[in-house]
């Protein structure tokens, strides 16, 4: 098993890894829209969605995988009305993989968070 970290304080404080690679699978933790370069949270759901996907993409790359190998994605939003604004962004990211997907409505850890995304991917065959 291999653990992947973004190096943020959240992972240490809460006790999790951004991703875990095990037995040919990559499990990426629920990822919110923080801009980890500036440690700021954008205001719009679209920008948060883009940031979350960028963080996920980096974790997948470090694991040796990519969006094209994602088999499952879960989207969590506190406001269901924000979800359609994310469709163009998520459909572009997963255009090739077309993973099984679920969208849930639930409160997130902090009120400024508008979306959280979790994925499971395969490592490509060698």
């Amino acid at each position: 098993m291999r653990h992947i970290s973004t190096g943020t304080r959240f992972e240490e404080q809460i006790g999790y890894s951004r991703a875990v690679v095990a037995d040919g699978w990559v499990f990426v933790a629920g990822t919110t829209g923080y801009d980890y370069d500036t440690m700021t949270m954008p205001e719009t759901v679209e920008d948060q969605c883009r940031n979350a996907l960028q963080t996920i993409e980096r974790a997948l790359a470090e694991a040796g995988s990519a969006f094209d190998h994602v088999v499952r994605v879960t989207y969590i939003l506190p406001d269901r009305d924000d979800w359609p604004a994310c469709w163009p962004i998520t459909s572009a990211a997963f255009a090739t993989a077309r993973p099984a997907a679920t969208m849930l409505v639930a409160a997130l850890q902090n009120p400024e968070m508008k979306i959280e995304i979790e994925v499971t991917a395969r490592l490509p065959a060698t």
Side-chain angles (χ1 to χ4, degrees):
M1 200 162 46
R2 185 165 55 105
H3 297 88
I4 294 171
S5 174
T6 54
T8 68
R9 69 180 194 275
F10 303 122
E11 293 166 23
E12 185 177 332
Q13 287 174 334
I14 298 170
Y16 73 99
S17 295
R18 174 61 47 211
V20 176
V21 182
D23 299 324
W25 293 97
V26 183
F27 303 93
V28 182
T31 304
T32 60
Y34 274 102
D35 178 335
Y36 287 110
D37 293 331
T38 63
M39 287 309 292
T40 59
M41 180 69 76
E43 288 187 29
T44 70
V45 70
E46 295 93 341
D47 287 340
Q48 288 189 27
C49 184
R50 283 185 198 93
N51 283 356
L53 288 170
Q54 183 177 52
T55 301
I56 290 167
E57 187 174 36
R58 288 178 187 161
L60 288 171
E62 187 172 337
S65 191
F67 281 149
D68 290 354
H69 301 286
V70 171
V71 297
R72 171 155 286 306
V73 59
T74 302
Y75 304 100
I76 307 162
L77 293 93
D79 183 349
R80 76 182 76 239
D81 293 334
D82 281 343
W83 180 221
C86 296
W87 295 352
I89 302 161
T90 60
S91 66
F94 299 114
T96 300
R98 297 187 53 106
T102 301
M103 190 283 277
L104 304 170
V105 176
L108 297 179
Q109 184 169 314
N110 297 327
E112 69 271 14
M113 295 174 174
K114 297 182 182 212
I115 189 167
E116 185 168 335
I117 305 170
E118 174 186 81
V119 306
T120 303
R122 292 285 300 173
L123 291 174
T126 56

